[in-house]
Amino acid sequence: MNKRTAYAVSSDNSRGRMIPEEPPAGRSEFQRDRDRIIHSTAFRRLEYKTQVFVNHEGDLFRTRLTHSLEVAQIGRSIARNLGLNEDLVEAISLAHDLGHTPFGHAGQDVLNECMREYGGFEHNLQSLRVVDVLEERYAAFDGLNLCYETREGILKHVARKNIPKLGALGERFLQHRNPSLEAQLANFSDEIAYNNHDVDDGLRSGLITLDQLEEVSIFSRHLTQVKDKYPILPERRMVYETVRSMINTLVTDLIQQSTRNIKDAGIDTLAAVHTAPPLIGFSQQIKKEQQELKKFLFDNLYRHFRVVRMNSRARHTIEKLFAAFSSEILLLPVKYQKKFEQEGHQAIADYIAGMTDRYAIKEYQRLFSITEN
Ligand code: MG
């Protein structure tokens, strides 16, 4: 177990909150951020938002909620080993998907197209908007008033045109500076989590098969190891064991390579992290293998006709909702009608982005079906 390093983010080197508050009693600033995220409305909605499979397709598939928990678990383990701020990694991981629309990437792409004339839609920016503005829980401020470093971690990317709106948070994109190691790590934990659980969910759904996956080097290598050790194993258990050991390999590789990168760059302060190249990363071999796995998942799972059909229905649903609200503002709930007066179409985007998969389907029925629902 490593002690926290000098280049980790801490309450001492934090840039603090937008609205200053008394320090929390009995927990750190970043534990407070994590707690606020867990208690938010947007966090609870993640339970009914899609990762790859729409929520009603099966009870065992990952949702954005279970995905976020897996990201946090992986992130915390690595943070502990690298001597980074575990609480900050946890907070960023739990918040990283808060701004996602219903129906996964398909939903976000179509909302971006619908919003083209009105500034577009970016899910990273929307996650930040959730924690900065949209949550309405506290007496003294809108949003969750999180620490700068948590917000920095949530905003992974942003379109250039949106940078001026971001104040201090936008500076690093203009100056080409990297975020904290905790933010870099949360990003890799996300990747480790989704690549592996998409393999698991993909197999469970039957959309991809073990035979196909045996052509992917990282999978076949681990599968062979499992088969050598446990020649007679039911298939489901064999898959779990393979995925489990792949995650282990990736986590171990990330810790080892990142430790080397940090050491080689002579990093000793948080300021040095910001001006150095990205320091959290995989070794060359694992990087190559991860690319191969991603390409496999893209070709065989994300473009599987059943997933494409689902995405097409999602597209249709969101397009129709957006068009209906745009042409008749009075169709919006009163709260959003009022927001529309001040913020225009952003209010429609906020309403749609906040919907869960099933809420969006219900709203579609309420607007377009003449049968009772
Ligand atoms: Mg994610």
Side-chain angles (χ1 to χ4, degrees):
M1 193 82 42
N2 290 352
K3 275 205 354 237
R4 192 174 294 170
T5 57
Y7 45 82
V9 173
S10 66
S11 303
D12 295 336
N13 61 20
S14 168
R15 292 174 69 171
R17 300 175 191 277
M18 274 196 285
I19 298 163
E21 293 183 57
E22 287 294 312
R27 53 183 175 163
S28 73
E29 294 286 1
F30 296 100
Q31 285 169 345
R32 170 148 76 178
D33 279 7
R34 175 207 53 206
D35 298 347
R36 287 183 177 181
I37 291 160
I38 288 179
H39 287 277
S40 70
T41 308
F43 185 72
R44 283 194 297 281
R45 285 182 179 148
L46 294 177
E47 182 174 4
Y48 298 104
K49 290 200 185 200
T50 298
Q51 190 65 25
V52 174
F53 299 89
V54 170
N55 193 270
H56 57 72
E57 291 190 51
D59 291 346
L60 294 178
F61 295 125
R62 268 70 174 187
T63 65
R64 288 211 178 268
L65 180 64
T66 58
H67 162 69
S68 300
L69 295 174
E70 289 182 24
V71 175
Q73 179 274 317
I74 291 168
R76 286 180 54 182
S77 295
I78 301 171
R80 212 173 301 138
N81 277 276
L82 291 176
L84 299 178
N85 189 327
E86 206 178 312
D87 301 323
L88 173 57
V89 174
E90 186 180 21
I92 296 170
S93 303
L94 294 176
H96 84 285
D97 272 352
L98 288 180
H100 263 286
T101 61
F103 311 124
H105 288 283
Q108 154 207 318
D109 292 346
V110 64
L111 195 52
N112 187 27
E113 284 164 33
C114 293
M115 283 291 289
R116 185 166 294 151
E117 284 173 48
Y118 317 104
F121 177 87
E122 289 183 75
H123 69 89
N124 278 310
L125 202 55
Q126 191 70 11
S127 296
L128 188 68
R129 199 171 151 72
V130 167
V131 300
D132 278 359
V133 186
L134 296 180
E135 282 288 324
E136 298 169 342
R137 316 183 65 78
Y138 295 89
F141 44 78
D142 282 339
L144 306 179
N145 196 32
L146 302 180
C147 293
Y148 176 89
E149 293 74 17
T150 310
R151 299 170 60 238
E152 173 192 67
I154 292 171
L155 192 69
K156 275 190 288 195
H157 312 283
V158 65
R160 243 194 130 66
K161 62 171 193 253
N162 289 322
I163 292 176
K165 295 184 212 160
L166 292 168
L169 211 58
E171 282 165 21
R172 83 169 173 90
F173 296 100
L174 294 173
Q175 295 162 355
H176 302 287
R177 283 150 43 112
N178 282 304
S180 68
L181 296 178
E182 286 81 354
Q184 295 180 36
L185 169 53
N187 203 9
F188 276 91
S189 308
D190 185 23
E191 182 179 328
I192 294 174
Y194 69 67
N195 279 333
N196 284 285
H197 64 49
D198 286 354
V199 166
D200 183 31
D201 284 349
L203 286 168
R204 179 180 291 107
S205 67
L207 300 190
I208 54 176
T209 63
L210 265 183
D211 281 354
Q212 283 178 307
L213 266 165
E214 279 189 71
E215 287 163 31
V216 181
S217 47
I218 192 161
F219 188 89
S220 71
R221 182 153 55 87
H222 288 87
L223 180 66
T224 308
Q225 286 166 9
V226 172
K227 280 180 172 169
D228 285 349
K229 204 167 170 195
Y230 306 100
I232 309 161
L233 208 55
E235 186 173 307
R236 207 51 240 164
R237 216 181 260 238
M238 196 165 65
V239 170
Y240 283 141
E241 195 64 32
T242 305
V243 170
R244 191 182 72 77
S245 61
M246 278 203 300
I247 295 177
N248 206 19
T249 297
L250 295 171
V251 165
T252 309
D253 183 82
L254 196 78
I255 292 168
Q256 286 169 351
Q257 186 61 46
S258 304
T259 304
R260 273 196 292 273
N261 295 346
I262 293 165
K263 195 162 170 268
D264 292 351
I267 301 299
D268 50 8
T269 60
L270 177 60
V273 169
H274 293 311
T275 50
L279 296 164
I280 303 293
F282 292 120
S283 65
Q284 278 308 323
Q285 189 207 338
I286 292 287
K287 205 167 148 186
K288 244 177 72 197
E289 286 183 339
Q290 283 294 94
Q291 279 160 0
E292 187 197 5
L293 175 62
K294 270 188 191 174
K295 185 171 184 319
F296 171 85
L297 288 169
F298 183 77
D299 292 342
N300 297 285
L301 181 61
Y302 310 143
R303 287 168 69 181
H304 190 286
F305 80 92
R306 273 176 52 199
V307 174
V308 174
R309 278 184 188 185
M310 188 205 81
N311 289 345
S312 149
R313 291 209 305 272
R315 256 194 109 71
H316 174 83
T317 306
I318 289 186
E319 264 168 12
K320 290 283 180 191
L321 288 177
F322 191 91
F325 296 137
S326 298
S327 64
E328 180 48 275
I329 298 307
L330 295 176
L331 289 172
L332 283 167
V334 176
K335 175 184 158 188
Y336 289 94
Q337 291 181 28
K338 293 212 174 95
K339 281 187 78 178
F340 189 89
E341 284 168 22
Q342 273 127 40
E343 303 181 63
H345 286 74
Q346 181 61 48
I348 301 178
D350 287 342
Y351 182 46
I352 293 178
M355 292 178 185
T356 60
D357 297 356
R358 62 185 190 175
Y359 186 93
I361 293 166
K362 241 192 181 145
E363 189 73 336
Y364 181 90
Q365 287 165 348
R366 282 193 287 253
L367 284 172
F368 300 110
S369 168
I370 52 165
T371 55
E372 204 180 331
N373 53 55

